[in-house]
């Protein structure tokens, strides 16, 4: 039999906290290493407890406790977080993921869902409500459209900012409009466009979209020879 | 000894199931039903004749309207209301005029109330 999953439970809702402890204590694969109301020492208590997984019912605390989350998206290796009794809010869900959450369980989930989520997260997987998978897909697709990846940069030679400008150039926006959209000066936009034309081998701004074929999944660049 | 009969109808689902997990471990307390929808509570009370009804409290210290009619039509039923906020609180109505807001929002507090060990007081109108 493998080692037990060390779990820390932090919740200011005592009834919720005690009940989760109760249902986990019935399972042989969990060891409760701490359970307490959220307070100023909670962050350190979790770290000191040696917990591999911690359960939390406060998104606000999670977002504001740096060692438990990461604004850079690099997930904390000390303990994996499972947020429980969460409001049904896709925005909160995405915020939690950005800050390094591994599990997100809604308040309309079942008690067994909580147990399953803790177990799954402890095994190195991530858990979210089934219908939030679509939220995640949509978000990633949107991000890909708005912020083309570094792989595209490798393909096209365009910087991220230059990639962001391409769709707007294709839509016929003026330099002034593009500058306003990104909060840049017109001269900066002109400089960006000048570099884009050079990099993709387009003779004018009208050819930029053609040179950078925009697809639903991303965009690629025709060879310079084709574009000229 | 006759078990204490409890109808569990609080929301959200997670809190309801956790409360049920606590109660189901008690040999002297019996869950006679779990209700998901508020609209089904009155008929479930009629059908199961519980000693206690557990509901969610939307507004602090204010008994939901449907509970008022239950207390009038079923005076033997007592109501425990759990506020679904982060620092959950628990209220107890033994009748329309007798209540307690001193129930500890914990497993022990709820179990104590169910076992009649809490001391509800006459409400000052």
């Amino acid at each position: 039999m493998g080692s037990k999953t060390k779990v820390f439970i932090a919740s200011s809702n005592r009834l919720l906290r005690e009940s989760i402890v109760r249902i986990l204590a019935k399972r042989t694969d969990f060891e409760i290493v701490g359970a307490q109301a959220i307070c100023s020492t909670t962050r350190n208590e979790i770290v000191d407890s040696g917990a591999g997984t911690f359960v939390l019912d406060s998104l606000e605390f999670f977002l504001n406790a740096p060692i438990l989350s990461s604004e850079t998206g690099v997930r904390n290796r000390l303990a994996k977080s499972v947020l429980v009794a969460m409001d049904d809010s896709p925005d909160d869900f995405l915020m939690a993921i950005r800050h390094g959450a591994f599990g997100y369980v809604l308040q309309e989930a079942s008690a067994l869902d909580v147990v399953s989520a803790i177990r799954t997260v402890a095994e190195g997987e991530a858990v979210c409500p089934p219908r939030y998978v679509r939220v995640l897909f949509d978000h990633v697709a949107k991000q890909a459209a708005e912020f083309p990846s570094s792989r595209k940069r490798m393909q096209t030679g365009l910087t991220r900012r230059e990639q962001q400008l391409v769709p707007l150039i294709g839509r016929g926006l003026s330099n002034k409009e593009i500058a306003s959209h990104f909060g840049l000066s017109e001269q900066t936009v002109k400089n960006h466009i000048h570099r884009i034309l050079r990099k993709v081998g387009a003779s004018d701004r009208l050819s930029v979209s053609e040179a950078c074929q925009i697809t639903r999944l991303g965009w690629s660049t025709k060879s310079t020879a084709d574009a000229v | 000894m006759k078990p204490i009969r409890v109808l569990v109808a609080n929301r959200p689902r997670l809190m309801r199931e956790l409360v049920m997990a606590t109660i189901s471990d008690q040999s002297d307390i019996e869950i006679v039903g779990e209700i998901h929808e508020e609209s089904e509570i009155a008929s479930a009370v009629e059908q199961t004749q519980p000693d206690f009804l557990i509901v969610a409290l939307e507004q602090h210290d204010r008994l939901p309207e449907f509970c008022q009619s239950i207390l009038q039509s079923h005076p033997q039923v007592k109501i425990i209301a759990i506020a679904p906020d982060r620092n959950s609180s628990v209220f107890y109505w033994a009748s329309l005029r007798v209540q307690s807001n001193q129930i500890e929002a914990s497993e022990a507090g709820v179990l104590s109330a169910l076992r009649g060990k809490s001391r509800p007081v006459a409400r000052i109108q």
Side-chain angles (χ1 to χ4, degrees):
Chain A
M1 187 177 149
S3 60
K4 292 187 176 187
T5 297
K6 293 183 176 179
V7 183
F8 192 105
I9 298 153
S11 167
S12 294
N13 182 334
R14 185 173 164 188
L15 190 53
L16 179 123
R17 186 174 75 242
E18 291 179 345
S19 304
I20 291 177
V21 168
R22 178 182 289 272
I23 58 173
L24 291 183
K26 290 180 182 173
R27 271 76 180 179
T28 56
D29 53 337
F30 294 114
E31 177 187 348
I32 311 294
V33 294
Q36 69 170 47
I38 292 170
C39 62
S40 59
T41 63
T42 300
R43 174 178 161 277
N44 291 339
E45 297 273 354
I46 292 173
V47 173
D48 294 344
S49 70
T53 307
F54 66 93
V55 179
L56 190 64
D57 73 339
S58 168
L59 179 62
E60 187 183 356
F61 178 79
F62 178 71
L63 299 180
N64 291 303
I67 204 159
L68 304 180
S69 62
S70 170
E71 289 178 356
T72 61
V74 179
R75 296 172 179 225
N76 170 35
R77 303 296 176 200
L78 294 175
K80 297 171 195 147
S81 53
V82 179
L83 300 176
V84 300
M86 291 290 104
D87 292 331
D88 188 357
S89 161
D91 288 340
D92 285 356
F93 166 65
L94 292 173
M95 180 95 71
I97 290 180
R98 275 191 216 105
H99 284 73
F102 282 78
Y104 194 90
V105 181
L106 297 177
Q107 58 182 358
E108 287 304 329
S110 70
L112 281 179
D113 288 336
V114 172
V115 176
S116 173
I118 297 169
R119 189 174 282 138
T120 304
V121 166
E123 288 169 353
E125 306 287 334
V127 177
C128 75
R131 70 175 185 278
Y132 277 16
V133 174
R134 173 62 191 266
V135 172
L136 208 48
F137 273 54
D138 287 348
H139 179 72
V140 172
K142 189 179 168 199
Q143 290 278 63
E146 291 180 358
F147 304 103
S149 69
S150 56
R151 188 168 63 85
K152 297 300 176 196
R153 178 179 177 171
M154 297 277 287
Q155 290 173 358
T156 63
L158 300 184
T159 65
R160 175 162 290 192
R161 176 63 84 193
E162 288 164 356
Q163 292 176 53
Q164 290 173 323
L165 259 62
V166 170
L168 275 62
I169 295 169
R171 277 158 45 193
L173 268 64
S174 67
N175 288 352
K176 188 176 180 180
E177 289 168 325
I178 294 172
S180 172
H181 183 87
F182 290 110
L184 302 172
S185 72
E186 271 189 76
Q187 186 56 49
T188 303
V189 171
K190 279 181 189 172
N191 292 340
H192 280 310
I193 292 177
H194 177 74
R195 283 192 290 270
I196 291 170
L197 293 174
R198 182 167 47 80
K199 287 178 181 176
V200 304
S203 55
D204 55 53
R205 60 193 295 148
L206 293 175
S207 309
V208 168
S209 287
E210 192 185 336
C212 302
Q213 292 177 322
I214 299 171
T215 70
R216 265 189 79 209
L217 297 177
W219 45 276
S220 60
T221 310
K222 284 184 173 181
S223 71
T224 303
D226 290 338
V228 172
Chain B
M1 190 177 155
K2 198 177 158 189
I4 301 158
R5 295 163 53 78
V6 183
L7 181 63
V8 187
N10 63 308
R11 298 187 311 271
R13 178 186 176 187
L14 181 56
M15 205 61 221
R16 181 173 66 247
E17 292 197 3
L18 290 172
V19 167
M20 288 173 66
T22 296
I23 294 174
S24 62
D25 281 349
Q26 315 304 314
S27 59
D28 59 335
I29 305 175
E30 177 190 1
I31 295 171
V32 295
E34 176 192 4
I35 305 299
H36 303 188
E37 300 294 334
E38 188 180 297
S39 59
E40 298 169 0
I41 294 177
S43 60
V45 168
E46 182 64 36
Q47 197 176 350
T48 60
Q49 297 292 320
D51 299 310
F52 280 90
L53 169 65
I54 298 180
V55 298
L57 193 64
E58 301 298 344
Q59 288 181 289
H60 269 251
D61 209 14
R62 184 166 180 181
L63 189 66
E65 274 186 28
F66 74 91
C67 288
Q68 294 181 22
S69 58
I70 287 174
L71 285 176
Q72 284 172 338
S73 60
H74 298 81
Q76 82 285 359
V77 176
K78 301 173 188 66
I79 293 177
I80 288 176
I82 299 173
D85 51 27
R86 295 290 172 221
N87 294 296
S88 193
S89 47
V90 177
F91 294 82
Y92 172 26
W93 276 266
S95 74
L96 277 175
R97 290 177 180 277
V98 180
Q99 71 160 80
S100 172
N101 58 5
Q102 301 300 314
I103 309 294
E104 193 176 65
S106 66
E107 281 194 336
V110 171
L111 293 175
S112 174
L114 290 174
R115 289 174 175 134
K117 291 175 183 172
S118 64
R119 288 174 293 178
V121 295
R123 188 177 180 184
I124 299 168
Q125 297 295 320

